[in-house]
Amino acid sequence: MKNTSITRRVMLAAAVAASALMTAGAAAAEKVKVAAIYTLPVEQQWISRIHKALNTAADRGDIDYAFSENVANTDYERVMREYAEQGAQLIVGEVFGLERAARKVAKDYPDTAFLMGSSFGPVAPNFSVFDNWIHEPSYLTGMVAGAATESNVIGMVGGYAIPEVNRLMHAFMDGARSVNPDVKFIVNFIDSWYDPPKAKESAFAMMDAGADVMYAERFGVSDAAVERGVKAVGNVIDTSGDYPGTIVASALWHMEATIDKAIENVAGGSFEAADYGQYSFMAYGGGSLVLDETLVAPETVAAVKAKEAEILDGLFRVNVNDDRPVSDN
């Protein structure tokens, strides 16, 4: 009887161990295979937010993540096809400037899910789109800038005048005007996503024209602000640690809500063509405001937080304007 009892315990332990191994194996097999394609380095602010969200999902064990950075537009279609051929279940990237090519690839691989930053809409069955819809916190940073300027001139340096950039600039301008009707704007686009020296040069020209607060949509602007001793407003990422005493507020983009929803849908077999833009809204945690209360007047902080609460409660809607912003006369 004793030997039989021992044998049963050994068999039970072996069965439990085998079950655990099978469960671990199944969990590993259930990881979603994700590939991302970026046209710039992952350090670039817009791309860094996507990369961060995907790394977070990988660290949780939800996905196997591979990526390619600095991919030229002329190579983008080839890289998309390579990842699809390698079995990627979800391909993430940005297709500004190569919409037709990317959508053609998606059509050729209907069983692969595509989630792409795009100026246009989704296409059934598998091409979904997203964007950094952080117009709400951009409005709030505008309120901070409008209250901070003493010259009533704000400089704004952008990359390209595309809807994704335009709407954030307009929201910022609307926020500034809401607290300071006399404020004027100098607007310039450098026609590059990453050219800090050019952005810095443009910022200096605006400061020479009287701007004492800068909207830093591109890298390089905050460096100019530091050199001239003026304040700046950040975009997409929080760079206040790199520019202490200069960045008064920033509109942040959090890509986690978008990425997590796409992964969930792929894993559950329910992914379909859709616009994921809403997951960048503040209500979903896709956008947020950060401000340095040591640099902002208490009454401005109170006004901004009150407006933020109205946005989150659905009592205030920030206007969306995709037109190219222009300088005031």
Side-chain angles (χ1 to χ4, degrees):
M1 291 292 293
K2 182 180 292 184
N3 289 339
T4 301
S5 176
I6 292 173
T7 300
R8 285 176 177 171
R9 288 201 297 270
V10 170
M11 291 176 64
L12 179 59
V16 170
S19 176
L21 286 172
M22 290 175 64
T23 301
E30 290 171 1
K31 283 186 179 182
V32 175
K33 192 173 181 180
V34 180
I37 311 168
Y38 307 120
T39 58
L40 293 168
V42 292
E43 290 81 12
Q44 192 264 356
Q45 66 258 50
W46 194 89
I47 287 171
S48 72
R49 308 310 283 175
I50 307 169
H51 187 57
K52 177 177 179 292
L54 287 168
N55 275 321
T56 298
D59 291 342
R60 285 199 309 262
D62 294 344
I63 65 173
D64 285 323
Y65 174 42
F67 69 93
S68 296
E69 58 183 328
N70 285 318
V71 177
N73 280 6
T74 52
D75 288 334
Y76 207 92
E77 179 179 351
R78 174 185 59 79
V79 178
M80 288 179 73
R81 291 185 182 279
E82 287 180 356
Y83 276 129
E85 290 289 342
Q86 291 167 12
Q89 296 166 271
L90 172 64
I91 297 177
V92 181
E94 82 277 15
V95 295
F96 307 108
L98 48 121
E99 295 276 357
R100 293 185 184 278
R103 290 163 191 268
K104 182 177 184 297
V105 174
K107 188 175 182 180
D108 291 343
Y109 296 92
D111 295 328
T112 303
F114 292 84
L115 178 65
M116 295 288 171
S118 172
S119 298
F120 299 96
V123 176
N126 61 330
F127 192 90
S128 290
V129 298
F130 69 88
D131 190 15
N132 62 329
W133 286 84
I134 54 170
H135 56 300
E136 294 164 328
S138 293
Y139 181 97
L140 300 175
T141 63
M143 292 177 65
V144 175
T149 179
E150 297 179 1
S151 66
N152 286 335
V153 179
I154 295 176
M156 305 183 70
V157 180
Y160 289 95
I162 63 172
E164 291 72 18
V165 174
N166 297 346
R167 70 175 67 112
L168 304 187
M169 286 185 151
H170 277 295
F172 172 88
M173 295 162 83
D174 288 346
R177 293 188 185 107
S178 73
V179 299
N180 184 353
D182 297 324
V183 70
K184 302 294 182 184
F185 300 94
I186 305 173
V187 182
N188 185 44
F189 294 92
I190 62 172
D191 294 330
S192 172
W193 290 131
Y194 190 77
D195 192 340
K198 190 173 182 179
K200 188 175 182 180
E201 180 183 351
S202 179
F204 280 143
M206 293 177 182
M207 295 174 198
D208 289 341
D212 64 350
V213 176
M214 296 299 304
Y215 177 77
E217 200 269 331
R218 293 292 100 194
F219 283 149
V221 176
S222 295
D223 297 282
V226 169
E227 289 190 27
R228 291 289 181 88
V230 306
K231 302 305 181 187
V233 169
N235 182 61
V236 176
I237 61 176
D238 183 6
T239 59
S240 58
D242 297 323
Y243 304 100
T246 295
I247 306 292
V248 292
S250 297
L252 306 186
W253 185 31
H254 308 287
M255 191 60 178
E256 285 76 6
T258 302
I259 290 296
D260 290 350
K261 186 63 177 178
I263 292 170
E264 176 188 336
N265 288 343
V266 171
S270 61
F271 187 92
E272 59 184 19
D275 188 340
Y276 280 68
Q278 65 179 328
Y279 298 107
S280 288
F281 284 24
M282 292 180 72
Y284 286 93
S288 69
L289 167 76
V290 61
L291 55 81
D292 187 338
E293 295 190 21
T294 66
L295 301 175
V296 182
E299 59 270 22
T300 300
V301 172
V304 169
K305 289 186 175 181
K307 187 60 66 177
E308 180 181 36
E310 289 184 19
I311 292 172
L312 291 172
D313 291 340
L315 299 176
F316 181 79
R317 181 174 293 178
V318 177
N319 184 49
V320 173
N321 184 349
D322 289 346
D323 295 337
R324 181 185 182 117
V326 296
S327 301
D328 292 311
N329 294 327

